[in-house]
Amino acid sequence: SAIRMAKLSPQIQIDTLENDPERAQLALANIAAQQLEAQIHVHALDIAQFQTDQQYDLIFVDAAKAQYPRYLEQFRANLADGGVFVFDNFHGMVEDPSLTENKGTRQMIKKLRRFREMFMTHPDYLIQFYPEVGDGVAVVSLLRK
């Protein structure tokens, strides 16, 4: 995802987190192969350990679905005015859990539905869903910091 985003413009700067050391090394190799080292900065650590004062226009989260609310609160202060959070995996199964028989997927769907419901009436957030984008995304805007 970071490589695809960085290729949109040479002015885009990305911090990406990877808690698996092997995946972090693979990410670095892929970034180097695309000559994007100046734009994409890999932080090999768990998301809970990442702290920064940086302001971001976009915070893209594709991590443990049950932790989405915690990640939003953790990085809320890092979202620049007018910025958005994008959360991955809001696919059609979130709307229709009968599309899967897999118990683990059904558990993930329950967590994503709770996350969605939390924001539907929250006065600080505006949430929009795009199930047709990739495997579905939720875009969250802050109405007030």
PDB file of all heavy atoms in Angstrom, residues 91-94 96-110:
ATOM      1  N   HIS A  91     -15.344  -5.018   3.867  1.00  0.00           N
ATOM      2  CA  HIS A  91     -15.878  -5.658   2.672  1.00  0.00           C
ATOM      3  C   HIS A  91     -17.354  -6.006   2.840  1.00  0.00           C
ATOM      4  O   HIS A  91     -17.946  -5.773   3.892  1.00  0.00           O
ATOM      5  CB  HIS A  91     -15.077  -6.918   2.354  1.00  0.00           C
ATOM      6  CG  HIS A  91     -14.685  -7.671   3.574  1.00  0.00           C
ATOM      7  ND1 HIS A  91     -15.595  -8.309   4.375  1.00  0.00           N
ATOM      8  CD2 HIS A  91     -13.470  -7.828   4.153  1.00  0.00           C
ATOM      9  CE1 HIS A  91     -14.957  -8.872   5.394  1.00  0.00           C
ATOM     10  NE2 HIS A  91     -13.679  -8.583   5.284  1.00  0.00           N
ATOM     11  N   GLY A  92     -17.925  -6.581   1.814  1.00  0.00           N
ATOM     12  CA  GLY A  92     -19.342  -6.913   1.799  1.00  0.00           C
ATOM     13  C   GLY A  92     -19.793  -7.799   2.940  1.00  0.00           C
ATOM     14  O   GLY A  92     -20.955  -7.766   3.345  1.00  0.00           O
ATOM     15  N   MET A  93     -18.877  -8.591   3.499  1.00  0.00           N
ATOM     16  CA  MET A  93     -19.254  -9.470   4.598  1.00  0.00           C
ATOM     17  C   MET A  93     -19.629  -8.702   5.854  1.00  0.00           C
ATOM     18  O   MET A  93     -20.345  -9.211   6.694  1.00  0.00           O
ATOM     19  CB  MET A  93     -18.136 -10.468   4.892  1.00  0.00           C
ATOM     20  CG  MET A  93     -18.032 -11.566   3.860  1.00  0.00           C
ATOM     21  SD  MET A  93     -16.799 -12.800   4.293  1.00  0.00           S
ATOM     22  CE  MET A  93     -15.374 -12.124   3.445  1.00  0.00           C
ATOM     23  N   VAL A  94     -19.145  -7.478   6.000  1.00  0.00           N
ATOM     24  CA  VAL A  94     -19.526  -6.675   7.164  1.00  0.00           C
ATOM     25  C   VAL A  94     -21.019  -6.374   7.092  1.00  0.00           C
ATOM     26  O   VAL A  94     -21.714  -6.387   8.098  1.00  0.00           O
ATOM     27  CB  VAL A  94     -18.688  -5.377   7.251  1.00  0.00           C
ATOM     28  CG1 VAL A  94     -19.174  -4.488   8.379  1.00  0.00           C
ATOM     29  CG2 VAL A  94     -17.214  -5.708   7.441  1.00  0.00           C
ATOM     30  N   ASP A  96     -23.155  -8.273   5.248  1.00  0.00           N
ATOM     31  CA  ASP A  96     -23.877  -9.538   5.153  1.00  0.00           C
ATOM     32  C   ASP A  96     -22.980 -10.683   5.629  1.00  0.00           C
ATOM     33  O   ASP A  96     -22.324 -11.351   4.832  1.00  0.00           O
ATOM     34  CB  ASP A  96     -24.321  -9.773   3.706  1.00  0.00           C
ATOM     35  CG  ASP A  96     -25.172 -11.014   3.555  1.00  0.00           C
ATOM     36  OD1 ASP A  96     -25.475 -11.690   4.568  1.00  0.00           O
ATOM     37  OD2 ASP A  96     -25.539 -11.311   2.408  1.00  0.00           O
ATOM     38  N   PRO A  97     -22.956 -10.930   6.961  1.00  0.00           N
ATOM     39  CA  PRO A  97     -22.092 -11.989   7.508  1.00  0.00           C
ATOM     40  C   PRO A  97     -22.404 -13.387   6.986  1.00  0.00           C
ATOM     41  O   PRO A  97     -21.576 -14.286   7.089  1.00  0.00           O
ATOM     42  CB  PRO A  97     -22.350 -11.922   9.016  1.00  0.00           C
ATOM     43  CG  PRO A  97     -22.929 -10.590   9.263  1.00  0.00           C
ATOM     44  CD  PRO A  97     -23.651 -10.192   8.010  1.00  0.00           C
ATOM     45  N   SER A  98     -23.568 -13.578   6.386  1.00  0.00           N
ATOM     46  CA  SER A  98     -23.906 -14.902   5.861  1.00  0.00           C
ATOM     47  C   SER A  98     -23.043 -15.273   4.652  1.00  0.00           C
ATOM     48  O   SER A  98     -23.089 -16.417   4.198  1.00  0.00           O
ATOM     49  CB  SER A  98     -25.392 -14.968   5.483  1.00  0.00           C
ATOM     50  OG  SER A  98     -25.654 -14.176   4.338  1.00  0.00           O
ATOM     51  N   LEU A  99     -22.253 -14.339   4.154  1.00  0.00           N
ATOM     52  CA  LEU A  99     -21.388 -14.620   3.010  1.00  0.00           C
ATOM     53  C   LEU A  99     -20.204 -15.513   3.378  1.00  0.00           C
ATOM     54  O   LEU A  99     -19.448 -15.926   2.509  1.00  0.00           O
ATOM     55  CB  LEU A  99     -20.877 -13.311   2.390  1.00  0.00           C
ATOM     56  CG  LEU A  99     -21.944 -12.431   1.737  1.00  0.00           C
ATOM     57  CD1 LEU A  99     -21.341 -11.109   1.288  1.00  0.00           C
ATOM     58  CD2 LEU A  99     -22.600 -13.150   0.555  1.00  0.00           C
ATOM     59  N   THR A 100     -20.017 -15.776   4.680  1.00  0.00           N
ATOM     60  CA  THR A 100     -18.915 -16.650   5.093  1.00  0.00           C
ATOM     61  C   THR A 100     -19.394 -17.640   6.150  1.00  0.00           C
ATOM     62  O   THR A 100     -20.286 -17.338   6.937  1.00  0.00           O
ATOM     63  CB  THR A 100     -17.726 -15.842   5.646  1.00  0.00           C
ATOM     64  OG1 THR A 100     -16.657 -16.757   5.968  1.00  0.00           O
ATOM     65  CG2 THR A 100     -18.081 -15.076   6.900  1.00  0.00           C
ATOM     66  N   GLU A 101     -18.761 -18.797   6.149  1.00  0.00           N
ATOM     67  CA  GLU A 101     -19.010 -19.817   7.169  1.00  0.00           C
ATOM     68  C   GLU A 101     -17.818 -19.913   8.122  1.00  0.00           C
ATOM     69  O   GLU A 101     -17.869 -20.618   9.107  1.00  0.00           O
ATOM     70  CB  GLU A 101     -19.258 -21.181   6.502  1.00  0.00           C
ATOM     71  CG  GLU A 101     -20.519 -21.219   5.659  1.00  0.00           C
ATOM     72  CD  GLU A 101     -21.786 -20.999   6.478  1.00  0.00           C
ATOM     73  OE1 GLU A 101     -21.870 -21.504   7.612  1.00  0.00           O
ATOM     74  OE2 GLU A 101     -22.685 -20.290   5.972  1.00  0.00           O
ATOM     75  N   ASN A 102     -16.739 -19.197   7.811  1.00  0.00           N
ATOM     76  CA  ASN A 102     -15.512 -19.252   8.597  1.00  0.00           C
ATOM     77  C   ASN A 102     -15.713 -18.550   9.943  1.00  0.00           C
ATOM     78  O   ASN A 102     -16.055 -17.370   9.991  1.00  0.00           O
ATOM     79  CB  ASN A 102     -14.373 -18.606   7.802  1.00  0.00           C
ATOM     80  CG  ASN A 102     -13.070 -18.657   8.538  1.00  0.00           C
ATOM     81  OD1 ASN A 102     -12.872 -17.955   9.508  1.00  0.00           O
ATOM     82  ND2 ASN A 102     -12.174 -19.501   8.054  1.00  0.00           N
ATOM     83  N   LYS A 103     -15.472 -19.271  11.035  1.00  0.00           N
ATOM     84  CA  LYS A 103     -15.687 -18.741  12.382  1.00  0.00           C
ATOM     85  C   LYS A 103     -14.793 -17.529  12.677  1.00  0.00           C
ATOM     86  O   LYS A 103     -15.236 -16.536  13.238  1.00  0.00           O
ATOM     87  CB  LYS A 103     -15.455 -19.841  13.423  1.00  0.00           C
ATOM     88  CG  LYS A 103     -15.790 -19.419  14.825  1.00  0.00           C
ATOM     89  CD  LYS A 103     -15.605 -20.548  15.819  1.00  0.00           C
ATOM     90  CE  LYS A 103     -15.939 -20.065  17.209  1.00  0.00           C
ATOM     91  NZ  LYS A 103     -15.772 -21.125  18.200  1.00  0.00           N
ATOM     92  N   GLY A 104     -13.524 -17.604  12.273  1.00  0.00           N
ATOM     93  CA  GLY A 104     -12.608 -16.484  12.502  1.00  0.00           C
ATOM     94  C   GLY A 104     -13.038 -15.232  11.753  1.00  0.00           C
ATOM     95  O   GLY A 104     -12.973 -14.125  12.289  1.00  0.00           O
ATOM     96  N   THR A 105     -13.494 -15.423  10.525  1.00  0.00           N
ATOM     97  CA  THR A 105     -13.970 -14.283   9.735  1.00  0.00           C
ATOM     98  C   THR A 105     -15.225 -13.692  10.362  1.00  0.00           C
ATOM     99  O   THR A 105     -15.381 -12.478  10.420  1.00  0.00           O
ATOM    100  CB  THR A 105     -14.240 -14.712   8.274  1.00  0.00           C
ATOM    101  OG1 THR A 105     -13.030 -15.246   7.735  1.00  0.00           O
ATOM    102  CG2 THR A 105     -14.705 -13.545   7.430  1.00  0.00           C
ATOM    103  N   ARG A 106     -16.105 -14.550  10.857  1.00  0.00           N
ATOM    104  CA  ARG A 106     -17.324 -14.051  11.519  1.00  0.00           C
ATOM    105  C   ARG A 106     -16.978 -13.230  12.762  1.00  0.00           C
ATOM    106  O   ARG A 106     -17.617 -12.212  13.023  1.00  0.00           O
ATOM    107  CB  ARG A 106     -18.252 -15.203  11.882  1.00  0.00           C
ATOM    108  CG  ARG A 106     -19.009 -15.756  10.699  1.00  0.00           C
ATOM    109  CD  ARG A 106     -19.964 -16.856  11.170  1.00  0.00           C
ATOM    110  NE  ARG A 106     -20.711 -17.361  10.048  1.00  0.00           N
ATOM    111  CZ  ARG A 106     -21.968 -17.017   9.792  1.00  0.00           C
ATOM    112  NH1 ARG A 106     -22.602 -16.187  10.572  1.00  0.00           N
ATOM    113  NH2 ARG A 106     -22.583 -17.519   8.738  1.00  0.00           N
ATOM    114  N   GLN A 107     -15.948 -13.640  13.507  1.00  0.00           N
ATOM    115  CA  GLN A 107     -15.511 -12.877  14.678  1.00  0.00           C
ATOM    116  C   GLN A 107     -14.981 -11.507  14.252  1.00  0.00           C
ATOM    117  O   GLN A 107     -15.273 -10.498  14.879  1.00  0.00           O
ATOM    118  CB  GLN A 107     -14.448 -13.648  15.467  1.00  0.00           C
ATOM    119  CG  GLN A 107     -14.986 -14.837  16.218  1.00  0.00           C
ATOM    120  CD  GLN A 107     -15.993 -14.418  17.267  1.00  0.00           C
ATOM    121  OE1 GLN A 107     -17.199 -14.448  17.035  1.00  0.00           O
ATOM    122  NE2 GLN A 107     -15.531 -14.009  18.417  1.00  0.00           N
ATOM    123  N   MET A 108     -14.172 -11.494  13.183  1.00  0.00           N
ATOM    124  CA  MET A 108     -13.647 -10.231  12.678  1.00  0.00           C
ATOM    125  C   MET A 108     -14.800  -9.321  12.252  1.00  0.00           C
ATOM    126  O   MET A 108     -14.795  -8.129  12.530  1.00  0.00           O
ATOM    127  CB  MET A 108     -12.710 -10.450  11.490  1.00  0.00           C
ATOM    128  CG  MET A 108     -12.163  -9.151  10.921  1.00  0.00           C
ATOM    129  SD  MET A 108     -11.326  -9.327   9.344  1.00  0.00           S
ATOM    130  CE  MET A 108     -12.667  -9.702   8.240  1.00  0.00           C
ATOM    131  N   ILE A 109     -15.792  -9.888  11.591  1.00  0.00           N
ATOM    132  CA  ILE A 109     -16.943  -9.114  11.131  1.00  0.00           C
ATOM    133  C   ILE A 109     -17.670  -8.482  12.319  1.00  0.00           C
ATOM    134  O   ILE A 109     -18.046  -7.308  12.271  1.00  0.00           O
ATOM    135  CB  ILE A 109     -17.890 -10.003  10.296  1.00  0.00           C
ATOM    136  CG1 ILE A 109     -17.240 -10.332   8.946  1.00  0.00           C
ATOM    137  CG2 ILE A 109     -19.240  -9.333  10.093  1.00  0.00           C
ATOM    138  CD1 ILE A 109     -17.937 -11.440   8.177  1.00  0.00           C
ATOM    139  N   LYS A 110     -17.837  -9.229  13.398  1.00  0.00           N
ATOM    140  CA  LYS A 110     -18.497  -8.683  14.597  1.00  0.00           C
ATOM    141  C   LYS A 110     -17.728  -7.482  15.134  1.00  0.00           C
ATOM    142  O   LYS A 110     -18.313  -6.471  15.519  1.00  0.00           O
ATOM    143  CB  LYS A 110     -18.622  -9.752  15.679  1.00  0.00           C
ATOM    144  CG  LYS A 110     -19.695 -10.768  15.418  1.00  0.00           C
ATOM    145  CD  LYS A 110     -19.758 -11.784  16.554  1.00  0.00           C
ATOM    146  CE  LYS A 110     -20.751 -12.873  16.233  1.00  0.00           C
ATOM    147  NZ  LYS A 110     -20.787 -13.904  17.289  1.00  0.00           N
TER     148      LYS A 110
END
